[in-house]
Amino acid sequence: MRPSRPGPRSTLFSAAVVAVTAAALLVAPYPAGADPRPTVREGDPLPRGASDAPASAAHRALTAPETDLADDAGRTVRGYPREQVLAPDPENPADKSIKLGLTPYHAIAPKLNALQALGDRVSVEIAGRSAGGHRLYLVTVTAPETARQARAQARMRERIENAPRLAAKDRTLKKTYKTPVFFNNNIHGNEWEGTDAALRLVERLAKAKDTRTKDLLAHSRLYFNITANPDGRIAGTRTNASGFDMNRDFATASQPEVRAMRRIQIGKQPAVMLDLHGYVNGTLIEPTTPPHGENYEYDLFLKNTYANALRMEAAVNGLGYTHDKDGVDPAQIPFRDSEEGWDDWPPVFTPQYAAFHGTVAAHTVEIPLQVNNAAYESLPVAELRRRSAINVDVAGAAMEATLGFVREKRSSLLADQIEVFRRGAAGAAQVPVSEETVPGVPGIGPEDVYTAEFPRAYVVPAGRTQRSATAAARLVDHLIANDIRVTRAKTGFRLGGRTYPKGSYVVDMRQAKRGLANALLADGRDISDKVSVMYDISGWSLGRLWGATVVAAESGRVSTLPVRPVRSAAPVGRVAPRGTLRLRLDSPQEIAALNSLLRDGVRVRQAADGSALVPSSARRKAAALARSHDVVFASTRATGGTVLRPVRVAAAVSAGELFALREMGFDVVPVSTAVLNAGFDWSRADVLFVSSGLSYAGLNEAARTALTSFLTDHGLVGGGAAGAALSSATGLLKATAVEGNGDANGVVRVVNAGGPVTGGAPGHGFVYAPVWFTGLGDGVTVEQSYGTGDLLVSGHWRPQDDGSGGPAAAAGQASVVRAPHAVLFGTEPLFRAHPKGEFPQVGRALLTVS
């Protein structure tokens, strides 16, 4: 769910949405709308059950292979149908879908087997597995194809992306290419009904004999991700088994379900997609309010998304459900009906990410009647099932309307997808939206105009340091996984007035998916003056936050550079042939390698600069870790240092932070106020990390005593206001935590002091509800400060109504402080497992204070 903050553009629409009448109360006595605030906000305590996320879920998320569903040229391509008999899952009477009268996860495989048996239109493939180990089902519905015909479709799809100028003139392609359509369901596990609507639609399509259906399937491939989040569907949670809201994960793709969806969007290249959510009453159908994502071809996107939104609105309202009779309000389109608060700015949402892969009509659809969270627990079963049945009808109406749109607009949708890729490949300018450039969309104003200035290329220089080399390799592999073309220099070269060494990576911005490349690599911009509030994050630059050097070359002859295409980054891992080894701790992989050594009993010492000194006797283990983690063990003559031991972390943190700690190889035991009050065995921990979910004031006397006793000879790492509050209550570090605007987030400039926590850290950090520290007591050291001047590089950070809490107040203030047994962070170095270059700060803090 992405709940709206309405600010009416249309007084006509506002008048149509009236208050609940007495008659309506008699029919629908229970509130049917969405929660007034987002269900889960990063920085809040872990969602229910996420604190119990097993380490196995994190391991599976980090190691699960990506299933290749693409019909790539050059490999065996099968025709359709691609049928298989799915083994059943064990029956699970605790599946939360059952109470709603919906399809439990264990019933999906038998249902799909039955659907495949209906004829030759339905195929099922396994797109991957969830963090909890459940199968992800991709269903394709289309008219049968021979292997030869499927290969021809694959070649045409490749031509659309890789040779769009030729594709635009290809008459055979225009006549025979099947328009891909993607329905993504149940990405939020406790927003169930899209799955059931999809199963119902697949069954209708499998059986239908009418001319319209035959024509649709002859000219389209329809892809259904039946449930994107089986873990959450079963458990009744928004998140997957790792505690992640996957509709915030597309820029990073930390979760296997998101990587599967990414693979579908790259391999199938849908022109149209729906992402089914709940619950907003009336049904909310994108396009969105400003600010709009500046990196995709918004004129083409708005034209098609708005046109299909009107069709879905008519279909949903045409079902005949009313406010008085059923508690169902008329559908709404944010672009038309709201001023702000439901934007498509960040590339973290499914439809917005899809736009970068050629989707020219992409929608979040929020079905109307709430059945999750408090409603699930409090409403009678009969009322829940009434609501769910209506929601399935609404989702089905939106899907059916979209199929009608695709059937009628197939040619123009295909032409617009080709044009998206043509502009990228040609380096053509974006077309600003206006009533002239996007006819048929009323109300376009200057507040809707967002375009990007694309550089001629990005260069990721060959790492001159171990940190930059490791970070560059990780970034390059991520770009390639997102279908961004990367080349590597065979010799040194000069571009845009700068000289680069052999081995540097070049991202030519004249490529089909330049928008996604720019979204991931550019700094972004400060949009604080554009709108008063943002729905979600506003800055996310991987170039700044992953620790790699990224240079934008504004001009130059990229076509003459001595480069070759690469399918993966060159490995950087190596081990010095003799002597004591030095492992820098500047990347998550290096922290993970260190923790592996410590678990194996290797006697590692920490040098004054924070790096790890590994004895020569561990060279064989180091060699294995250099290969598996792609890290460098250099030679050193350093001696001395503090002996390190394995660190067991008791953590009261968000789901993203828990995941990031496990990614770095820490042994983590989740805790909370409730866990400590129940009696926690502190012998299981060496250090406490708190950023949310643990309140000293909420502890009972026994829990306070046990915590105080633990902290007398163990360390504390604190994040944000919650961590600072616990530090203050226990007297470990004297400092006053000043809270900035709680809605602020983005990429900020920082100045690192070079101590054991921030030595070698990037010069940028990420903030979300930023905090800074004043009134530092004796023995408190500033490890990092917010930059001065224009502090915010990209994002949204305004002062509060009284003028306090803005970036000007934070500039120059301490953002990370350290005492002998405590470290406090005012930034968000582990936010959603995203700012990889920041992770080591927390890892080094845990090692330092433990």
Side-chain angles (χ1 to χ4, degrees):
M1 181 185 72
R2 289 174 61 188
S4 62
R5 298 183 177 95
R9 285 189 181 202
S10 167
T11 55
L12 178 64
F13 175 82
S14 299
V17 183
V18 295
V20 178
T21 64
L25 289 173
L26 292 175
V27 176
Y30 306 104
D35 292 337
R37 295 287 293 173
T39 306
V40 176
R41 177 179 172 83
E42 296 291 337
D44 287 346
L46 285 167
R48 184 183 62 184
S51 60
D52 299 323
S56 60
H59 176 76
R60 187 177 292 111
L62 290 165
T63 60
E66 187 171 316
T67 302
D68 188 0
L69 294 168
D71 295 323
D72 295 323
R75 74 176 184 88
T76 302
V77 176
R78 292 182 293 149
Y80 285 96
R82 300 174 181 179
E83 297 176 346
Q84 62 176 304
V85 177
L86 301 169
D89 293 281
E91 185 171 341
N92 180 4
D95 189 304
K96 298 295 185 180
S97 309
I98 296 173
K99 183 177 180 179
L100 302 174
L102 299 173
T103 306
Y105 178 78
H106 61 259
I108 292 177
K111 177 68 173 177
L112 295 179
N113 287 336
L115 291 173
Q116 291 178 97
L118 290 174
D120 56 6
R121 295 174 177 174
V122 180
S123 304
V124 179
E125 297 172 87
I126 305 302
R129 287 187 177 265
S130 69
H134 297 99
R135 291 173 292 185
L136 304 170
Y137 302 113
L138 178 68
V139 171
T140 305
V141 183
T142 192
E145 298 172 21
T146 65
R148 182 177 181 179
Q149 290 170 326
R151 286 194 296 271
Q153 290 290 316
R155 287 193 297 270
M156 286 186 281
R157 191 197 67 249
E158 290 285 330
R159 172 168 277 205
I160 289 169
E161 178 186 347
N162 299 327
R165 185 177 60 83
L166 296 176
K169 301 176 182 179
D170 188 332
R171 294 182 180 180
T172 301
L173 184 150
K174 292 178 182 179
K175 183 179 180 180
T176 62
Y177 183 64
K178 289 185 170 183
T179 307
V181 183
F182 179 38
F183 296 103
N184 199 51
N185 304 290
N186 200 203
I187 190 172
H188 290 150
N190 61 356
E191 297 167 14
W192 290 269
E193 291 91 345
T195 292
D196 291 78
L199 290 170
R200 190 166 71 180
L201 177 56
V202 171
E203 183 169 3
R204 185 192 74 74
L205 293 169
K207 293 178 177 179
K209 294 179 171 50
D210 60 284
T211 302
R212 292 173 64 89
T213 300
K214 291 179 180 178
D215 179 69
L216 172 72
L217 299 183
H219 294 94
S220 303
R221 283 185 185 168
L222 311 179
Y223 300 104
F224 297 83
N225 190 13
I226 297 298
T227 170
N229 185 359
D231 302 348
R233 183 176 187 84
I234 295 167
T237 59
R238 180 182 179 93
T239 61
N240 70 349
S242 290
F244 264 71
D245 181 339
M246 292 180 294
N247 203 38
R248 303 291 185 275
D249 192 40
F250 278 90
T252 306
S254 68
Q255 301 302 298
E257 301 93 333
V258 175
R259 294 195 291 275
M261 286 179 272
R262 179 177 70 186
R263 185 68 253 163
I264 292 168
Q265 294 186 65
I266 292 171
K268 307 307 181 185
Q269 205 165 285
V272 178
M273 73 89 63
L274 263 62
D275 199 29
L276 277 299
H277 288 258
Y279 301 93
V280 176
N281 195 11
T283 301
L284 186 144
I285 304 168
E286 293 190 9
T288 70
T289 66
H292 307 295
E294 62 183 347
N295 288 298
Y296 47 82
E297 307 305 315
Y298 189 63
D299 62 314
L300 303 175
F301 184 85
L302 178 60
K303 163 193 166 184
N304 292 295
T305 302
Y306 189 80
N308 192 37
L310 293 176
R311 287 175 174 257
M312 287 190 280
E313 178 186 43
V316 168
N317 291 343
L319 291 171
Y321 295 117
T322 68
H323 180 87
D324 291 350
K325 178 170 62 74
D326 309 291
V328 177
D329 292 335
Q332 56 183 309
I333 300 173
F335 183 90
R336 180 192 67 196
D337 302 321
S338 299
E339 289 289 348
E340 60 178 39
W342 198 293
D343 59 87
D344 58 3
W345 179 253
V348 298
F349 308 122
T350 320
Q352 280 62 59
Y353 181 77
F356 294 117
H357 295 294
T359 304
V360 293
H363 311 261
T364 291
V365 176
E366 300 277 356
I367 53 183
L369 301 183
Q370 186 177 8
V371 295
N372 63 1
N373 301 332
Y376 186 93
E377 302 297 337
S378 63
L379 294 182
V381 170
E383 171 63 10
L384 289 172
R385 293 190 173 189
R386 182 190 75 84
R387 292 186 178 193
S388 286
I390 292 174
N391 288 336
V392 172
D393 285 349
V394 169
M399 291 178 175
E400 291 279 12
T402 295
L403 294 183
F405 176 70
V406 169
R407 181 174 175 271
E408 293 180 26
K409 300 294 184 181
R410 171 183 171 272
S411 296
S412 63
L413 288 166
L414 179 58
D416 287 343
Q417 183 179 76
I418 293 171
E419 175 63 8
V420 167
F421 294 143
R422 186 204 67 80
R423 290 181 189 177
Q430 292 173 302
V431 177
V433 297
S434 68
E435 294 191 0
E436 291 71 36
T437 59
V438 194
V441 180
I444 297 175
E447 71 276 8
D448 295 306
V449 178
Y450 287 85
T451 57
E453 293 293 331
F454 300 111
R456 182 61 188 83
Y458 283 102
V459 181
V460 181
R464 292 186 174 88
T465 66
Q466 295 169 25
R467 176 182 65 80
S468 60
T470 300
R474 183 169 198 157
L475 178 57
V476 166
D477 282 337
H478 186 67
L479 295 173
I480 294 169
N482 280 279
D483 202 32
I484 295 166
R485 296 175 191 166
V486 183
T487 59
R488 190 167 189 237
K490 296 180 284 186
T491 64
F493 64 94
R494 188 169 177 81
L495 183 67
R498 294 184 58 167
T499 299
Y500 299 95
K502 174 184 177 181
S504 295
Y505 296 96
V506 179
V507 180
D508 185 347
M509 289 298 283
R510 290 187 182 172
Q511 61 172 290
K513 297 181 180 179
R514 66 173 179 184
L516 183 54
N518 207 56
L520 297 180
L521 294 175
D523 285 349
R525 60 163 140 161
D526 180 352
I527 56 170
S528 304
D529 63 340
K530 300 297 183 183
V531 292
S532 63
V533 66
M534 293 288 291
Y535 180 77
D536 201 71
I537 64 169
S538 314
W540 55 84
S541 171
L542 303 191
R544 296 298 186 185
L545 297 177
W546 279 32
T549 301
V550 177
V551 182
E554 302 299 335
S555 61
R557 297 183 62 186
V558 179
S559 60
T560 63
L561 295 180
V563 297
R564 59 177 179 82
V566 293
R567 293 189 176 182
S568 63
V572 300
R574 60 182 175 83
V575 179
R578 60 185 63 85
T580 300
L581 302 173
R582 179 175 182 260
L583 175 67
R584 293 194 60 86
L585 302 179
D586 296 333
S587 72
Q589 301 102 298
E590 288 164 334
I591 300 287
L594 168 64
N595 279 324
S596 180
L597 290 170
L598 295 176
R599 281 194 301 273
D600 288 345
V602 177
R603 184 178 173 83
V604 181
R605 294 167 289 125
Q606 188 172 27
D609 65 356
S611 62
L613 306 179
V614 181
S616 59
S617 58
R619 181 166 277 99
R620 180 173 295 181
K621 291 181 183 293
L625 291 168
R627 290 190 298 270
S628 62
H629 291 68
D630 204 26
V631 296
V632 174
F633 289 85
S635 62
T636 182
R637 295 183 178 180
T639 59
T642 304
V643 175
L644 294 173
R645 294 179 176 82
V647 177
R648 298 166 299 175
V649 183
V653 294
S654 72
E657 291 167 324
L658 177 63
F659 188 85
L661 291 172
R662 286 172 169 161
E663 181 177 340
M664 289 188 286
F666 285 104
D667 180 5
V668 187
V669 181
V671 297
S672 64
T673 303
V675 168
L676 299 193
N677 281 339
F680 179 68
D681 179 7
W682 283 105
S683 68
R684 300 170 63 192
D686 301 302
V687 63
L688 174 64
F689 180 24
V690 174
S691 67
S692 62
L694 201 165
S695 166
Y696 189 79
L699 296 177
N700 59 39
E701 185 175 352
R704 286 189 184 185
T705 300
L707 172 61
T708 302
S709 176
F710 173 80
L711 291 176
T712 57
D713 54 1
H714 296 81
L716 169 70
V717 175
L726 184 63
S727 172
S728 177
T730 55
L732 283 182
L733 187 154
K734 184 179 179 183
T736 300
V738 181
E739 296 184 48
N741 190 332
D743 286 328
N745 70 86
V747 181
V748 296
R749 294 182 175 86
V750 296
V751 178
N752 297 305
V757 173
T758 63
H764 294 79
F766 187 82
V767 295
Y768 193 98
V771 171
W772 55 93
F773 305 100
T774 62
L776 306 182
D778 294 339
V780 177
T781 301
V782 176
E783 279 271 353
Q784 182 190 85
S785 300
Y786 290 113
T788 56
D790 293 330
L791 167 61
L792 186 66
V793 174
S794 61
H796 188 275
W797 186 355
R798 289 183 169 191
Q800 299 177 50
D801 292 342
D802 62 2
S804 66
Q813 300 290 344
S815 54
V816 181
V817 294
R818 170 176 55 87
H821 298 291
V823 175
L824 298 181
F825 289 89
T827 58
E828 290 279 350
L830 303 183
F831 182 81
R832 294 182 187 164
H834 169 59
K836 303 293 185 183
E838 314 287 306
F839 285 15
Q841 296 176 43
V842 173
R844 291 165 68 147
L846 293 168
L847 292 167
T848 298
V849 303
S850 67

